[in-house]
């Protein structure tokens, strides 16, 4: 099992944010997340229309600029390191389905004894519309999300540059989320299908915010478990977690329903040091972690590198040469889904051989792959730096002319493109990669120590992983500043 | 020294030692910077085509006087050199391009600059030329590339130092039984 935190006493240095009355007041306002969600949903609807009817020139279309520059940079650079899955609390994709499921936007539907059911289904202590089927246990993992992200990544050149494709992809996810919400319980789409959610959950282990119970003994005395099942004040955990028993943040969407539900005010939001959680729970998480790291490296080479051949091969929209594109896809999959994962497996096998003492390959592999979480996050943050510094100017211009039709709503449409201090980017990217390497080494050591029988066995496991982490860090550094 | 402060010092020593080793390695890497030749004059033809520059990577030495002849192989492209006051619009089938530098806009057949600062600078297309325009980049590397040598040294020192400290700790605990 991942060595998250084993007891309340292990939260040394954690700050209970909701001890502050004003933060507790904000957390208790159940109308705030849906209000933010409504605003974002309206924005999303506008962007879908802009993507379909606006200019096909990507850097002049708000659908491309606001999604793949502004939103992505804020997500990877700020939201994920600070709040992990915090975006999930306001993400507009699942909202229409959730509101249809709940038959409500702001209020709670409690399954009290005198509450008319009106054809609704009871789940926990709340009532829901829809079929409310349980998500299949065989699919209760990250494999679908991993496959979905790899598919999107394969067509990323089209997705990142063509507004119509962006609109179709996001619109498709919106439709899928709505349908899934009417068939399956709660946020099954978010937990098991959404390609963005997959990596948000993975990197939530590194974030500064964590929802946990204040005092585990008080949860032990609680019979209702309103945090999980809901009550009159709040919906049961839409992520199908047991908040009172959470020791990992990977499936917590920071919706704070559990905080509002708890009758003893025992759920809170902690501010903690970064990279507080270590370890991965299964092969699906390990595969996701390694794949995200691999794709971070691949994206850096393809989109930030000088090699036009890679960009040409990825650019199926322009050349329409499917044979060439399939060669590119095979190369991308070969690197991201075969070569890099194989290197982690080799390292794990070597570590198992060195550690001896009956260590399983799975334990060694999970320990090795745990390093891919912080290093992968660093790779993606470093990749996102040029989006802000170089392409950020497009955001200001596109606000005045979102469809690229020659408007000038706020007088900024004619703002000439100019990168912002591009000579600073290299140092910033290098610092991010080195920070990621440090965190990766720490994560790998903690995971090896948790899996190893003793310190010497852990060190034997850690050594090959440490050198693999170093090699990948050097590759990232070379791509950015070499 | 109290028991708790002794524990605190004991816990702080390894990361402080490691951090010091990393900083020292990075500094050594920065000072060394890698091999570099004498400053010379260079004349280079740079051709822009959708969506890459040829050559994709330019390597020069610090102090080199570099003259770039900019061409376009297909459509109108831009040429913006990060960290240098050079931005140009390059036209297909024309030797001359519009150069914006020093606050002036002129028609030129080449642009000359002194590579006075070592490091890695990207040149980018600054005129929307197609779908992959935002990713159309080349690299100018002015040796010695100190940022690369120092960060690579830091990365190696970080891992070596961590393994050394953890190994010493494990050996010490094993010896003590």
């Amino acid at each position: 099992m991942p060595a998250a935190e084993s007891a309340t006493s292990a939260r040394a240095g954690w700050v209970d944010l909701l001890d502050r009355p004003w933060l507790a007041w904000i957390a208790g306002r159940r109308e705030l997340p849906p209000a933010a969600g409504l605003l974002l949903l309206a924005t999303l609807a506008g962007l879908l229309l802009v993507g379909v009817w606006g200019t096909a020139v990507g850097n002049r279309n708000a659908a491309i600029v606001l999604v793949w520059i502004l939103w992505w940079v804020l997500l990877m650079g700020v939201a994920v390191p600070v709040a992990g899955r915090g975006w999930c609390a306001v993400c507009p994709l699942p909202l229409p389905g959730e509101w249809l499921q709940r038959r409500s936007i702001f209020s709670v539907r409690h399954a009290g004894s005198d509450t008319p059911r009106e054809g609704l289904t009871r789940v926990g202590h709340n009532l829901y519309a829809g079929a409310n089927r349980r998500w299949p246990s065989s699919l209760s993992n990250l494999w679908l999300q991993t496959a979905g992200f790899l598919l999107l990544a394969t067509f990323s050149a089209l997705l990142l540059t063509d507004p119509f494709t962006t609109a179709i992809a996001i619109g498709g996810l919106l439709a899928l989320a709505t349908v899934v919400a009417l068939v399956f319980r709660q946020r099954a789409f978010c937990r098991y299908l959404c390609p963005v959610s997959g990596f948000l959950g993975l990197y939530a282990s590194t974030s500064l915010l964590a929802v946990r119970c204040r005092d585990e003994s008080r949860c032990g005395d609680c019979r209702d478990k309103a945090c999980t099942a809901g009550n009159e004040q709040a919906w049961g955990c839409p992520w199908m977690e047991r908040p009172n028993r959470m020791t990992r943040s990977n499936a917590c969407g920071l919706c704070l329903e559990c905080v509002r539900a708890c009758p003893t005010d025992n759920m809170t939001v902690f501010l903690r040091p970064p990279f507080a959680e270590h370890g991965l729970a299964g092969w699906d998480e390990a595969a996701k972690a390694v794949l995200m790291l691999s794709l971070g490296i691949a994206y850096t080479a393809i989109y930030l590198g000088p090699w036009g051949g890679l960009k040409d091969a990825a650019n199926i929209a322009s050349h329409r040469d499917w044979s060439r594109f399939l060669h590119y896809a095979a190369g991308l999959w070969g690197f991201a889904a075969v070569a890099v994962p194989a290197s982690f497996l080799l390292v794990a096998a070597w570590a198992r051989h060195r550690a001896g003492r009956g260590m399983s390959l799975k334990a060694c592999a999970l320990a090795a792959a745990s390093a891919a979480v912080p290093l992968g996050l660093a790779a993606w943050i470093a990749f996102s730096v040029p989006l802000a510094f170089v392409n950020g100017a497009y955001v200001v211009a596109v606000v005045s002319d979102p469809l690229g039709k020659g408007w000038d709503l706020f007088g900024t449409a004619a703002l000439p493109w100019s990168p912002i201090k591009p000579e600073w980017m290299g140092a910033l990217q290098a610092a991010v990669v080195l920070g990621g390497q440090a965190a990766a080494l720490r994560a790998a050591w903690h995971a090896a120590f948790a899996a190893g029988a003793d310190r010497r066995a852990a060190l034997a496991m850690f050594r090959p992983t440490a050198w693999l982490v170093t090699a990948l860090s050097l590759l990232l550094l070379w791509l950015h500043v070499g | 020294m109290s028991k708790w402060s002794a524990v605190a010092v004991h816990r702080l020593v390894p990361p402080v030692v490691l951090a010091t080793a990393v900083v020292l390695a990075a500094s050594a890497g920065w000072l060394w910077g890698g091999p570099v030749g004498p400053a010379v004059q260079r004349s280079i033809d740079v051709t822009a085509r959708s969506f890459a520059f040829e050559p994709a990577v330019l390597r020069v030495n610090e102090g080199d006087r570099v003259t770039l002849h900019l061409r376009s192989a297909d459509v109108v492209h831009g040429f913006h050199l990060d960290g240098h006051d050079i931005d140009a619009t390059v036209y297909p089938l024309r030797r001359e391009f519009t150069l914006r530098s020093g606050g002036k806009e002129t028609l030129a057949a080449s642009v000359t600059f002194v590579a006075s600062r070592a490091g890695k600078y990207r040149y980018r297309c600054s005129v929307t030329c197609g779908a992959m325009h935002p990713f159309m980049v080349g690299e100018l590397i002015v040796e010695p590339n100190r940022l690369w040598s120092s960060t690579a040294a830091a990365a190696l020192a970080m891992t070596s130092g961590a393994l050394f400290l953890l190994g010493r700790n494990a050996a010490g605990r094993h010896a003590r039984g």
Side-chain angles (χ1 to χ4, degrees), chain A residues 57 59 161 304-306 308 311-312 315 390 394 417 419 422 425 437 455 459 463 467 470 478-482, chain B residues 49 51-52 56 80 82 120 122 124 126 128 131-133 135 137 139 145 148 151 155 158-160 163 166-167 169:
Chain A
V57 179
N59 58 321
T161 60
L304 304 188
K311 297 177 218 283
D312 285 347
N315 189 18
V390 176
Y394 293 132
W417 170 83
M425 284 195 308
Q437 179 189 350
R455 200 176 180 90
L459 187 59
R463 266 200 203 95
W467 288 116
T470 308
W478 178 75
L479 286 170
H480 286 301
V481 301
Chain B
R49 63 155 185 88
F51 300 97
H80 178 97
D82 288 350
K120 181 175 181 175
R122 286 181 171 85
R124 313 170 181 281
S126 52
T128 303
M132 296 290 275
H133 155 74
F135 307 113
V137 295
E139 295 176 352
N145 188 351
W148 159 239
T151 52
M158 191 189 305
T159 299
S160 306
L163 288 172
L166 289 170
N169 202 328

Side-chain angles (χ1 to χ4, degrees), chain A residues 293 296-297 300 375 379 433 472-481:
Chain A
L293 170 60
I297 297 171
T300 302
L375 190 60
V433 172
L472 293 171
S473 300
L474 285 170
L475 178 58
L476 280 166
L477 285 171
W478 178 75
L479 286 170
H480 286 301
V481 301

